[in-house]
Amino acid sequence: MSVNKKQNEPVIVVLSGGQDSTTCLYHAIDVHGEENVLAISFNYGQKHKIELQSAHTIASMAGVQHEIIDVKDNLVSMSPLTNPEVHLEQYKNFEQMQDVIGQRRELTFVPMRNTLFLVIAANRAEVLGVKKIYIGVCEEDNANYTDCTYNFISCAERLINESLGYN
């Protein structure tokens, strides 16, 4: 019988309060232990304040440190997530959503959001001596978010490593 030994190294988890980032948080806890996890969330001016409330509740329940970083004055968007003038599209089912969205990005896309989150997380990581950042994104949710793809995450990782001289 093998016993998984926790890696005793600090990590940062970008925690939105949704299912993808919550899964990443609990994976990080499983691998590193809650005492080694810092969860960071972002107030980017989202209309749905429940995101930040959920992130806070999840971090508290998980027993990890949690920081909310205010970037609402740094992201400009026409997304219905942040712009009170734009209404959220509603779909009866997944098939209708596929038909409406097609090859375009979902209107909820906030340009450069995940890029900014990762840059700030990398800044925190460098200052704190953290070598791993977890972020939960989903390429398969049919929103065509270009910043939720494997290619984007790979490029962001290379950019961060290059910027910090780790290549």
Side-chain angles (χ1 to χ4, degrees):
M1 178 171 89
S2 68
V3 176
N4 289 338
K5 184 178 178 192
K6 297 227 186 271
Q7 297 175 15
N8 190 20
E9 63 180 332
V11 298
I12 290 177
V13 177
V14 177
L15 181 65
S16 70
Q19 67 183 14
D20 299 328
S21 67
T22 300
T23 300
C24 283
L25 174 69
Y26 278 93
H27 174 70
I29 290 168
D30 188 48
V31 173
H32 303 279
E34 64 270 0
E35 68 280 0
N36 291 313
V37 175
L38 168 63
I40 61 174
S41 302
F42 296 91
N43 175 8
Y44 60 93
Q46 61 268 53
K47 287 191 241 180
H48 301 107
K49 299 301 179 203
I50 195 162
E51 283 183 27
L52 292 175
Q53 294 166 357
S54 295
H56 175 74
T57 299
I58 291 163
S60 179
M61 290 174 64
V64 301
Q65 295 179 58
H66 184 230
E67 177 183 5
I68 297 176
I69 301 167
D70 191 338
V71 297
K72 69 179 173 291
D73 295 331
N74 301 98
L75 283 175
V76 177
S77 174
M78 289 304 296
S79 170
L81 297 183
T82 59
N83 189 323
E85 306 295 318
V86 181
H87 297 286
L88 190 64
E89 289 179 317
Q90 301 285 316
Y91 313 106
K92 292 179 186 172
N93 53 44
F94 183 77
E95 290 76 24
Q96 183 190 29
M97 183 178 84
Q98 281 184 308
D99 290 342
V100 171
I101 295 174
Q103 295 303 308
R104 74 164 167 85
R105 275 189 296 225
E106 170 65 71
L107 296 180
T108 54
F109 181 72
V110 178
M112 304 303 289
R113 176 178 53 186
N114 286 338
T115 305
L116 180 62
F117 293 175
L118 284 170
V119 166
I120 293 171
N123 167 264
R124 292 289 195 285
E126 180 68 10
V127 169
L128 297 172
V130 171
K131 301 294 182 208
K132 292 184 180 178
I133 298 169
Y134 289 78
I135 185 170
V137 295
C138 181
E139 186 171 354
E140 299 299 323
D141 67 2
N142 201 47
N144 298 323
Y145 284 9
T146 48
D147 65 351
C148 290
T149 64
Y150 176 80
N151 187 52
F152 167 78
I153 295 298
S154 296
C155 289
E157 181 179 18
R158 285 193 310 275
L159 172 71
I160 290 166
N161 286 332
E162 186 70 29
S163 296
L164 296 174
Y166 294 136
N167 288 335

